[in-house]
Amino acid sequence: MTVLESYRSLAEAQKGRARGAPAYSLYVNRPVGRLLASVAHAIGLTPNQVTLVSAAFTFTGIALLMLVPPSIPLGIVVWLLLAIGYAWDSADGQVARLRGGGSLVGEWLDHIVDSAKLVSLHIAVAIGAYRFFESLEVQWLLVPLLFTVVATVTFFGMILNDLLRARIGAPQAAQAGGSSPVRAMLGIPTDYGTWCFMFVLWGWAPGFMVVYSLLALAAVLYLAAALLVWFRKMKGLEAVA
């Protein structure tokens, strides 16, 4: 199957839009991932190989944050590495759909890599800031540590929601209603793609820390609201079950 044939086939194999999916993930990352998936499928890459390609880009960018002194050019490189890794992350599931469906081990590997990158990214910010932001007061390091906790709990909450829904046969989030343009735009501050882009400021420590802290605050507020919604929905599903 050629790249063009793969690309066309994916139009009929797309999964539903998850409720509340943010704009970058929905309107940029998934289409780019679709193109990468078409190329990967045409050259014979498996979904697990695509996941490993994604991990290679992502963790190279994360390592640079910890190992190389900050600069604007480095920030741009890190942004591109993380963004490309994110697009490949979208591609692995699309390659699986082209091949007729995913596997348990593929889903397991994808979630392991996703959870590792979410923790590693914010830990890398803490390490890089501690090593290279000379005028940074030490209390600012609490921000990436808080961000690590929030990102981890948010990711685990979404995975657990799907796991428990599947346990009682309830529709998954992607089947329970799409993401409206307004919801997608409101989700931009909590979008992983937005987190990737903020690293263009990595060479300007004060500006980066302000933007990073605002995104951390948005993530905290999102998680607080999401936990209330998820709790009510779980109680409702429990009553139905």
Side-chain angles (χ1 to χ4, degrees):
M1 185 179 291
T2 67
V3 173
L4 183 58
E5 290 171 337
S6 298
Y7 189 83
R8 288 173 174 170
S9 296
L10 274 171
E12 302 174 357
Q14 292 295 301
K15 65 180 181 179
R17 295 178 175 180
R19 182 182 295 273
Y24 180 91
S25 296
L26 196 59
Y27 301 124
V28 178
N29 199 61
R30 185 182 290 189
V32 174
R34 179 181 175 186
L35 178 59
L36 294 177
S38 302
V39 173
H41 186 255
I43 64 177
L45 292 182
T46 66
N48 288 351
Q49 289 171 332
V50 173
T51 299
L52 294 178
V53 171
S54 169
F57 278 101
T58 297
F59 289 107
T60 298
I62 289 173
L64 290 176
L65 294 173
M66 298 183 287
L67 300 175
V68 181
S71 66
I72 295 299
L74 175 66
I76 294 173
V77 169
V78 169
W79 162 50
L80 291 174
L81 287 170
L82 295 177
I84 293 170
Y86 189 32
W88 278 105
D89 183 38
S90 174
D92 58 6
Q94 299 190 63
V95 170
R97 287 189 286 280
L98 279 172
R99 293 165 63 95
S103 64
L104 287 178
V105 70
E107 186 171 1
W108 176 87
L109 180 62
D110 184 42
H111 290 330
I112 288 294
V113 171
D114 283 345
S115 60
K117 80 180 181 185
L118 287 174
V119 173
S120 301
L121 180 64
H122 300 295
I123 294 298
V125 170
I127 294 173
Y130 177 76
R131 292 190 64 196
F132 302 119
F133 290 178
E134 295 180 358
S135 61
L136 187 71
E137 296 182 3
V138 70
Q139 58 264 31
W140 280 100
L141 297 179
L142 294 175
V143 177
L145 298 182
L146 173 64
F147 217 151
T148 303
V149 174
V150 172
T152 302
V153 174
T154 302
F155 180 74
F156 178 75
M158 291 188 293
I159 297 301
L160 185 60
N161 289 344
D162 286 345
L163 178 65
L164 294 178
R165 282 176 174 273
R167 181 177 173 181
I168 64 171
Q172 298 300 322
Q175 302 169 315
S179 177
S180 71
V182 173
R183 288 179 66 118
M185 295 303 292
L186 290 175
I188 286 177
T190 63
D191 196 326
Y192 180 80
T194 305
W195 299 357
C196 296
F197 184 68
M198 71 181 167
F199 287 102
V200 299
L201 298 173
W202 184 242
W204 180 34
F208 174 82
M209 289 307 302
V210 168
V211 172
Y212 184 78
S213 299
L214 289 173
L215 291 176
L217 176 60
V220 169
L221 295 176
Y222 173 84
L223 177 60
L227 288 175
L228 292 175
V229 172
W230 295 342
F231 183 79
R232 288 199 300 266
K233 288 185 176 181
M234 284 300 144
K235 286 184 70 71
L237 289 173
E238 186 178 41
V240 172

